[in-house]
Amino acid sequence: MVNIKNMKVVILAGGFGSRLAEYTEVIPKPMVKIGNIPMLIHIMRHYAKYGHKEFYLALGYKSELIKDYFFNLNRFNSDFTIDYSNDEIFIHNKKSLDWKVTLVDTGINSMTGGRLKRIKKYIDNQTFFMTYGDGVSNVNLDKLYKYHEKQKKLVTVTIVRPTSRFGEINLEQDKIKSFIEKPSSSKGWINGGFFVMEPKFLDYIKNDTTVLEKEPLEKAAKENELVAYKHNDFWQCMDTKRDKELLENLWSKNKKFI
């Protein structure tokens, strides 16, 4: 598999996840487990598979639980002995990941655009990947990036054809003419996340109250700076309890999403 380069990956992981309240009253949505593995880790594994292992997590709701998880991740993955007589901890068979994870508090009430804007200082004027913390896919990230590079636009969004509804894409020869978030009736292609973005796009975001899927992406579409990458294979979000049960069923059968 071709590894283009170790690009930075931004994951929005700060929302309230109110439509999955059965779980998110206790833990943040990205930490809801599928096959005893947090959704966030499933997503990060997909990027790591393609050699992209530098992650920036935009946190908000219950951020302390995500921070605590990553702070103790190596211990979760290893056997260890605690000597209570002197408070020493011995790690056995240490299984360390070669990931670099930066956890950024982006405000408890910030919207998706605001969270992304707050990551700007970590991007260093580089093209970067961005996705949400509640969806998995087997999208080929090498092909996605090469497509973005060829199109020479500010943003490429992966579009999919699921049974549920999210942002609807009005497409004309792979050029996005309009971007409508969560219409009452959606047909055809929708926003599947898994973006590639140029840092200049962050200038389209005003402040914490900006919804990424509204003004910034709508403006990019109008200015012909937003293009679509069609993905016709596996994609599934975890927006409701039914979605989680579907993902659990898929995982129990295959033990993999990617």
Side-chain angles (χ1 to χ4, degrees):
M1 183 177 299
V2 178
N3 179 15
I4 299 168
K5 56 182 176 178
N6 183 17
M7 289 174 57
K8 294 181 177 181
V9 181
V10 176
I11 303 178
L12 302 185
F16 290 98
S18 56
R19 283 187 285 183
L20 200 64
E22 299 92 336
Y23 304 96
T24 57
E25 286 184 358
V26 179
I27 58 175
K29 191 176 182 182
M31 297 305 293
V32 174
K33 294 182 178 181
I34 304 296
N36 207 36
I37 299 170
M39 171 62 82
L40 186 55
I41 298 298
H42 286 296
I43 296 166
M44 294 169 76
R45 283 179 175 179
H46 182 54
Y47 282 97
K49 174 184 175 182
Y50 285 86
H52 308 295
K53 303 176 182 180
E54 187 171 346
F55 300 98
Y56 295 83
L57 308 185
L59 308 181
Y61 176 65
K62 295 188 180 297
S63 62
E64 67 281 2
L65 297 181
I66 299 179
K67 288 181 176 181
D68 185 65
Y69 178 85
F70 281 95
F71 188 80
N72 291 291
L73 186 57
N74 282 340
R75 293 182 184 179
F76 291 153
N77 290 329
S78 306
D79 299 331
F80 59 89
T81 299
I82 303 174
D83 187 342
Y84 290 100
S85 66
N86 54 19
D87 291 328
E88 289 186 347
I89 299 176
F90 304 92
I91 305 296
H92 310 290
N93 304 316
K94 188 174 182 180
K95 300 176 183 177
S96 298
L97 293 170
D98 57 346
W99 299 356
K100 181 179 178 181
V101 184
T102 300
L103 300 105
V104 185
D105 276 315
T106 57
I108 187 68
N109 293 310
S110 295
M111 304 306 288
T112 48
R115 296 192 190 286
L116 180 57
K117 184 82 169 184
R118 289 207 193 189
I119 300 291
K120 182 178 181 179
K121 62 183 178 181
Y122 297 101
I123 299 305
D124 297 330
N125 206 35
Q126 298 176 17
T127 306
F128 62 96
F129 286 111
M130 192 225 84
T131 195
Y132 306 104
D134 62 356
V136 287
S137 176
N138 64 351
V139 60
N140 186 308
L141 297 174
D142 287 340
K143 291 182 178 180
L144 171 61
Y145 176 76
K146 289 177 181 178
Y147 179 84
H148 173 81
E149 204 171 34
K150 182 179 179 181
Q151 296 300 313
K152 300 186 183 303
K153 302 295 182 181
L154 291 182
V155 183
T156 298
V157 57
T158 300
I159 59 175
V160 297
R161 290 183 182 272
T163 55
S164 58
R165 58 182 176 87
F166 282 82
E168 184 173 335
I169 307 295
N170 179 12
L171 197 64
E172 182 178 313
Q173 295 181 344
D174 287 352
K175 297 297 185 292
I176 292 178
K177 296 303 179 183
S178 68
F179 190 105
I180 306 172
E181 180 66 2
K182 298 182 181 178
S184 58
S185 177
S186 176
K187 298 180 181 179
W189 297 98
I190 68 162
N191 170 19
F194 296 93
F195 293 83
V196 185
M197 296 179 170
E198 297 300 323
K200 186 178 178 181
F201 171 69
L202 300 182
D203 294 336
Y204 284 52
I205 303 172
K206 291 182 180 180
N207 52 41
D208 284 351
T209 65
T210 303
V211 177
L212 173 67
E213 300 79 11
K214 293 187 180 294
E215 291 88 352
L217 288 177
E218 289 172 355
K219 181 180 178 182
K222 290 177 181 177
E223 295 182 358
N224 196 30
E225 289 291 346
L226 176 63
V227 294
Y229 178 79
K230 294 179 181 177
H231 179 63
N232 287 295
D233 207 341
F234 173 71
W235 178 91
Q236 179 61 50
C237 67
M238 186 183 64
D239 199 44
T240 65
K241 186 173 184 288
R242 180 179 177 276
D243 293 332
K244 181 187 184 302
E245 291 170 351
L246 173 60
L247 286 164
E248 286 281 8
N249 185 51
L250 290 172
W251 181 261
S252 66
K253 290 178 180 178
N254 302 312
K255 303 300 182 187
K256 63 180 181 179
F257 292 130
I258 56 178

